[in-house]
Amino acid sequence: MQYGSFPFYRPRRMRATEVARQLIRETELSERDFIYPVFVRPGKGERREVPSMPGVFQLSVDLLAAEMRELLRLGVRAVLLFGLPEHKDECGSEAYSDEGIVQQAVRAIRAQAPDMYVITDVCMCEYTSHGHCGKLTDAGEVDNDATLEWLAAEAVSHARAGAHMVAPSDMMDGRVRHLRAALDAEGFTHVPIMSYSTKYASGFYGPFRDAAESAPSFGDRRAYQMDPANAAEGVREAALDIAEGADVVMVKPALSYLDVLHRVKSEFAFPTVAYNVSGEYAMVKAAAQNGWIDEQRVVLELLTSMKRAGADMIITYHAKDAARWLRERGRA
C-alpha cells in the first residue's frame, strides 16, 4: 500500500451523498430571504403582463389581496411597491399625494393582508412627465437639493398610509439624512429606511422601465447613478448612507456587482440587500423559454450566489418560483 499519493484530506468524501453535502453546506437560501417587487396601476380588474418580463404583471389595487395571499402561502413575507400613476406632470405630484396609487396600495395591503411587510420605493421617475428622478433645472439637469423636498414629502406620505419601510432609489446626495429628519419630525421614528445606496447606471434596467413605464424622455441617468467601473466609490456610498441614518443598504444590480456586494457587507457588517434586477430576470427567462438552461437550477444557483456574497435579503422577480422550488426541494 502506498502512502502520500493523495492529500490526507479528500474533499470528495463529503460530496458523495446529498445528506453529506447538506451537512457541510455553508450558505442556505430560504424563501424568508426574498422581497417581491409589485407594480401597481390604476383601474379595476387590471392584470397586465410585462412583455419583457414573463410572469410579472402590473396589477390594479383590487387584485393585490389575492397576490399577497399567494405570496404569504409561499412563505414570501415582504413586497416592494412601485406605482404607475394615473397622471404624470412636471412635478410628479402623484408621488406625494395621499391619494396616490402607492398610498392606495399600501392601505389596501395593510387592511387585507396584515401579515405582509410593505416596503415602498421612493423616487420620482414613474411620476414625472420627463421620466427623471427629480426636479429639473432650466438646463434640464436634476436639481439635487430641490428634489430632496419632493422625496421627503413622498416618504412621509407613504409612512402615513402605513408603509413599514421606505426605500429611496433616486441617488440624490444627502437624501437619507433628509428623509430621516422628515420622517422623525412627523412622528414616524419607527419607519426604517432601506437605501439604494450603491446603485449603478446599468444596462440591466431596461425591462423595469417597461414595467414601471419610467424611461426618461431625454438623456439618461448617468449624472446621478454610479459608474459601473467603480467599486470603492460604491463602498463610500454605503458608508455615507449608514452615517446619514439608513437601516438597510443595497447593491443594485446584483449579478455583475457581487464583488461590490461582498465588499459592502464585509466592510460594515450591516443589513444588506441585493437587487436581482429586471434585465437579469429577463435573460434567465428568455434562455429558459428557448430550452437553453434548466431554469430552476440556474435561478437557485444565482440567488445562492447573492446570499453567499453577503446579501441578507434579495429583491427578486423570481421570488414566487424560487420559494415554490425551495419548498418542493425540502419535501423531496
Side-chain angles (χ1 to χ4, degrees):
M1 180 180 293
Q2 291 185 339
Y3 295 92
S5 300
F6 293 97
F8 180 74
Y9 172 55
R10 292 193 182 211
R12 283 187 57 186
R13 292 181 186 130
M14 294 303 295
R15 299 174 190 160
T17 68
E18 179 60 22
V19 173
R21 292 190 292 272
Q22 290 176 353
L23 286 171
I24 64 166
R25 186 159 291 153
E26 299 171 25
T27 304
E28 287 289 346
L29 188 67
S30 165
E31 64 273 14
R32 294 185 299 274
D33 301 325
F34 302 147
I35 299 169
Y36 187 61
V38 175
F39 299 94
V40 189
R41 65 168 301 108
K44 289 189 176 181
E46 293 281 352
R47 181 179 172 86
R48 300 187 187 182
E49 189 169 26
V50 180
S52 55
M53 299 176 70
V56 174
F57 296 83
Q58 299 172 345
L59 301 172
S60 52
V61 173
D62 60 307
L63 299 184
L64 291 177
E67 185 80 353
M68 298 305 111
R69 288 194 295 269
E70 180 185 6
L71 288 164
L72 288 169
R73 279 197 304 269
L74 292 168
V76 179
R77 303 175 298 176
V79 291
L80 176 60
L81 297 184
F82 297 92
L84 287 76
E86 194 154 10
H87 303 289
K88 301 189 181 195
D89 57 36
E90 194 77 9
C91 302
S93 57
E94 194 171 317
Y96 40 84
S97 166
D98 284 345
E99 295 307 314
I101 189 69
V102 165
Q103 291 83 345
Q104 294 176 44
V106 172
R107 290 193 292 267
I109 294 170
R110 291 299 306 268
Q112 298 166 15
D115 293 332
M116 182 60 74
Y117 193 83
V118 182
I119 308 167
T120 58
D121 180 78
V122 175
C123 196
M124 302 301 301
C125 60
E126 298 110 302
Y127 305 94
T128 55
S129 52
H130 47 73
H132 279 283
C133 297
K135 184 175 183 179
L136 296 184
T137 66
D138 292 341
E141 298 175 350
V142 175
D143 185 327
N144 189 99
D145 294 0
T147 297
L148 299 182
E149 298 300 326
W150 290 0
L151 297 170
E154 183 179 6
V156 168
S157 180
H158 290 179
R160 193 157 46 234
H164 292 101
M165 177 185 284
V166 295
S169 61
D170 53 283
M171 288 300 286
M172 298 298 113
D173 294 341
R175 90 269 206 212
V176 172
R177 179 184 288 114
H178 206 81
L179 265 62
R180 184 73 273 158
L183 289 165
D184 292 355
E186 294 294 327
F188 298 113
T189 58
H190 60 286
V191 174
I193 295 174
M194 173 193 286
S195 175
Y196 287 64
S197 55
T198 308
K199 180 180 178 180
Y200 288 89
S202 172
F204 286 102
Y205 300 153
F208 173 90
R209 290 169 184 167
D210 292 339
E213 300 179 5
S214 63
S217 60
F218 66 91
D220 54 44
R221 297 178 179 138
R222 285 182 288 185
Y224 41 101
Q225 295 177 359
M226 287 185 54
D227 185 339
N230 295 354
E233 183 185 9
V235 177
R236 290 198 301 273
E237 284 277 12
L240 285 168
D241 286 358
I242 291 169
E244 290 180 15
D247 299 279
V248 180
V249 293
M250 182 191 299
V251 175
K252 179 184 180 183
L255 289 181
S256 293
Y257 301 90
L258 293 178
D259 60 321
V260 181
L261 174 62
H262 182 70
R263 288 178 64 171
V264 168
K265 184 62 177 180
S266 298
E267 179 75 19
F268 304 112
F270 204 74
T272 305
V273 60
Y275 198 142
N276 178 210
V277 300
S278 61
E280 298 165 350
Y281 173 88
M283 289 192 303
V284 170
K285 280 291 185 182
Q289 289 179 347
N290 278 285
W292 297 336
I293 59 170
D294 178 332
E295 182 178 1
Q296 176 177 337
R297 185 173 179 180
V298 167
V299 168
L300 294 180
E301 185 175 344
L302 292 176
L303 296 175
T304 299
S305 76
M306 296 167 203
K307 186 141 187 219
R308 190 183 65 239
D312 301 292
M313 298 153 270
I314 304 171
I315 300 169
T316 179
Y317 304 96
H318 294 293
K320 287 183 182 180
D321 287 336
R324 191 175 296 111
W325 293 329
L326 288 169
R327 290 194 164 195
E328 290 170 356
R329 177 188 284 183
R331 291 193 296 268

